[in-house]
Amino acid sequence: MVKILHFSDTHISHRKFRNVKDSWKVHNRVTYIEDDFCLGFKQVLDIAAKSDYDYLIHSGDFFDIPVGRNFAGPTEYSRTFVLKALKEFFEKTKFKIPLIIIDGNHGTFLTRNYSTIEFLQAAFPDNIHIFTNYQLKDAIRHNKPLTLEFDEVKFYLFPYLKFGRLENWAKEYEKWLQNNQQPDSEKISIAVAHGMERGMDLHELVLNYKYDYVALGHDHKQRQIKKNAWQTGSTSRYTFAERSQTKAVLDIEIEKRKDLVVKSIKLDNVRSMKQIDITLNTELTTTAFERDIREKISEYKKSFDGDTAVRLKIKFDGAVLLSNWWGMEDILNEIQNDVFKDEFNILEFRWDAGEVIKRAPVSLQKGAKLYDYLIEDPVIDFEKYIRSLSLENEKQATQFIEIGAKIIEEAFTSPIESSLEEESE
Ligand SMILES: [Mn+2]
């Protein structure tokens, strides 16, 4: 029997600059939100040190940055915090428990073939085993396995890769998987993967092969995916969509040819995130709007305490006159100012009006009709547009249409909830 502690998506060094109270936890050193993510990680190591685990598994997004167009690496504060916490953990457990970490979509310099977890392995070369996006690409390129073997356990690693983005990537990935990543029938086999969308970043075979356990990451909500597969979830709340989620890690006992014994261990001291829902209507005056919001946040009117302060989002829907909305935005900015200046136990104050229908005032409605005919079916419209260019090269035209259609589809079908403000998991 082996006993593992499965955790994921620690997103260490996650920082917020906009719509957050300008307040340090330790002056000139660390802010509250950044420290939340360090403490989430520390809590897991404390749990891990208390029991007799054989392995610790982290299924990706160890560090939050770099990500996308944010090329900044983890802060010195977070890096130092992590090293100290790990050193303490390994000393307490006599350097006996291996920690396995794979790359997620956060924490790697995509154009640089470098991952921030490489520095962890360099610090603890005998105890930490990392598997990066780069190693995965290399394994696919050379048709070789990405595994890690111990006496009784074999790990199959699947760092993040959006293989479904292109058809030929998907084919190559599947071929590599079939050739190299099939579970061993003798040893306990554990797959570790960062991904949640089947066929896009999580391959069906990872769920269908007979691994004894599949340790998944990327989904911040803890949930069972299959009898032998779990998303363990993140260790701190990241987006407002996670506001009512309990954060937890998984304690798993694995024995060959026996059912898993799964225990979810709850993490405490997770900062609360609250959402206030407000439906707007075109009759609403700015005065009534202001009164309503000030009334709704009055329950947080008490002296600021960074350890318990709430992260707050106001979510609007309904419809509003555009001219009124401009006034409302001014009011929101004013309230935000007051919230951060006065006695409110609020750490973050933001709003999302992405789903509000903003009607042009009657005087402008004639002009607004311009938008009506713009795009009926974006994909078909785009093809018409490309055809209208009468390109000589048919192959090129087809390529344009295919790529364009994919981009448009992605843009028009992506969930509204993840607006620009909220970064993806
Ligand atoms: Mn992720």
Side-chain angles (χ1 to χ4, degrees):
M1 192 265 283
V2 300
K3 189 168 147 141
I4 62 164
L5 189 71
H6 173 203
F7 69 121
S8 189
D9 293 82
T10 39
H11 285 272
I12 296 160
S13 207
H14 177 59
R15 303 200 295 166
K16 289 249 151 185
F17 299 102
R18 290 184 55 208
N19 305 316
V20 171
K21 190 180 172 88
D22 183 20
S23 175
W24 294 94
K25 181 163 184 177
V26 182
H27 185 64
N28 272 351
R29 191 169 165 85
V30 68
T31 60
Y32 287 99
I33 292 178
E34 181 177 353
D35 213 33
D36 284 351
F37 287 81
C38 290
L39 296 176
F41 172 67
K42 180 74 167 52
Q43 267 196 71
V44 179
L45 292 188
D46 289 344
I47 292 168
K50 265 191 244 139
S51 194
D52 50 343
Y53 293 104
D54 298 302
Y55 302 94
L56 253 56
I57 300 177
H58 189 295
S59 29
D61 288 356
F62 188 96
F63 286 112
D64 189 50
I65 46 178
V67 64
R69 281 167 295 170
N70 180 357
F71 296 118
T75 65
E76 285 306 317
Y77 178 88
S78 285
R79 285 156 50 103
T80 311
F81 185 100
V82 161
L83 279 198
K84 276 187 174 166
L86 283 171
K87 182 165 177 282
E88 197 185 309
F89 167 76
F90 286 129
E91 279 170 356
K92 250 195 242 170
T93 54
K94 308 205 163 51
F95 295 90
K96 276 187 187 151
I97 309 175
L99 167 59
I100 295 141
I101 311 173
I102 61 165
D103 258 340
N105 51 318
H106 288 248
T108 58
F109 295 89
L110 286 180
T111 56
R112 290 282 181 273
N113 289 336
Y114 185 81
S115 166
T116 49
I117 56 175
E118 288 182 42
F119 126 96
L120 298 178
Q121 193 177 48
F124 301 98
D126 300 327
N127 313 98
I128 294 184
H129 306 268
I130 62 156
F131 296 88
T132 65
N133 305 135
Y134 179 60
Q135 282 170 277
L136 171 63
K137 285 178 204 159
D138 199 53
I140 296 172
R141 203 176 299 125
H142 296 105
N143 192 27
K144 60 180 191 195
L146 197 58
T147 53
L148 173 67
E149 212 165 334
F150 294 90
D151 288 344
E152 49 177 347
V153 185
K154 191 166 174 186
F155 290 92
Y156 300 80
L157 295 315
F158 300 90
Y160 183 81
L161 179 70
K162 206 169 179 180
F163 58 85
R165 191 187 278 280
L166 292 171
E167 220 169 281
N168 60 325
W169 287 14
K171 270 187 210 147
E172 284 299 306
Y173 189 80
E174 184 166 302
K175 210 169 70 193
W176 166 76
L177 224 155
Q178 288 168 333
N179 286 340
N180 302 288
Q181 302 293 93
Q182 301 213 31
D184 192 293
S185 55
E186 293 312 310
K187 288 188 178 188
I188 286 176
S189 54
I190 301 175
V192 186
H194 193 85
M196 60 193 280
E197 199 187 332
R198 313 271 178 99
M200 189 51 77
D201 52 28
L202 177 59
H203 201 285
E204 209 61 49
L205 287 177
V206 175
L207 296 176
N208 289 345
Y209 281 158
K210 293 206 172 341
Y211 299 112
D212 294 292
Y213 182 61
V214 183
L216 298 167
H218 195 39
D219 190 340
H220 285 189
K221 185 179 162 72
Q222 186 171 96
R223 58 179 119 211
Q224 185 171 20
I225 303 299
K226 263 196 143 177
K227 196 166 178 223
N228 66 333
W230 283 77
Q231 286 279 2
T232 186
S234 62
T235 50
S236 302
R237 296 198 179 99
Y238 191 82
T239 67
F240 279 86
E242 296 165 47
R243 64 191 179 277
S244 33
Q245 290 173 13
T246 301
K247 296 301 174 187
V249 293
L250 290 169
D251 170 311
I252 317 256
E253 291 177 17
I254 310 165
E255 209 163 335
K256 208 78 196 162
R257 283 170 285 277
K258 278 201 180 159
D259 283 352
L260 294 173
V261 181
V262 181
K263 205 167 78 195
S264 173
I265 304 173
K266 188 175 170 277
L267 301 174
D268 302 313
N269 309 319
V270 177
R271 183 175 304 279
S272 67
M273 290 173 103
K274 293 275 159 70
Q275 181 171 307
I276 297 173
D277 295 299
I278 295 182
T279 302
L280 303 174
N281 63 73
T282 49
E283 312 293 301
L284 190 69
T285 64
T286 49
T287 321
F289 175 84
E290 176 162 9
R291 201 185 320 121
D292 190 19
I293 289 171
R294 289 201 185 268
E295 210 272 310
K296 287 208 161 88
I297 61 169
S298 61
E299 64 169 295
Y300 302 103
K301 204 159 168 56
K302 46 193 144 187
S303 51
F304 179 78
D305 167 14
D307 292 329
T308 59
V310 69
R311 298 176 63 180
L312 189 69
K313 172 167 135 179
I314 304 181
K315 177 104 167 88
F316 296 106
D317 61 9
V320 72
L321 285 181
L322 191 57
S323 48
N324 275 0
W325 177 247
W326 293 329
M328 288 168 183
E329 274 195 313
D330 285 345
I331 287 166
L332 285 167
N333 280 308
E334 235 169 74
I335 294 176
Q336 187 187 61
N337 240 335
D338 294 347
V339 159
F340 291 156
K341 193 173 57 202
D342 289 347
E343 304 273 278
F344 279 95
N345 201 21
I346 296 176
L347 183 61
E348 181 176 10
F349 181 86
R350 45 184 289 202
W351 55 91
D352 177 359
E355 280 169 41
V356 175
I357 299 160
K358 290 157 194 140
R359 297 226 167 92
V362 182
S363 59
L364 285 178
Q365 273 179 9
K366 223 177 181 181
K369 277 187 186 152
L370 265 178
Y371 299 97
D372 290 349
Y373 77 95
L374 192 61
I375 289 171
E376 210 159 273
D377 182 333
V379 176
I380 292 173
D381 258 26
F382 183 75
E383 174 161 14
K384 275 189 198 151
Y385 167 71
I386 293 292
R387 293 291 175 206
S388 77
L389 300 175
S390 326
L391 296 178
E392 296 281 321
N393 186 337
E394 173 55 29
K395 204 176 154 209
Q396 203 177 38
T398 315
Q399 259 171 1
F400 276 147
I401 291 162
E402 273 173 16
I403 294 168
K406 256 187 201 146
I407 293 169
I408 291 168
E409 232 158 31
E410 232 172 76
F412 279 76
T413 55
S414 63
I416 296 164
E417 191 169 34
S418 58
S419 59
L420 288 177
E421 291 287 305
E422 304 221 301
E423 292 121 55
S424 60
E425 293 166 355

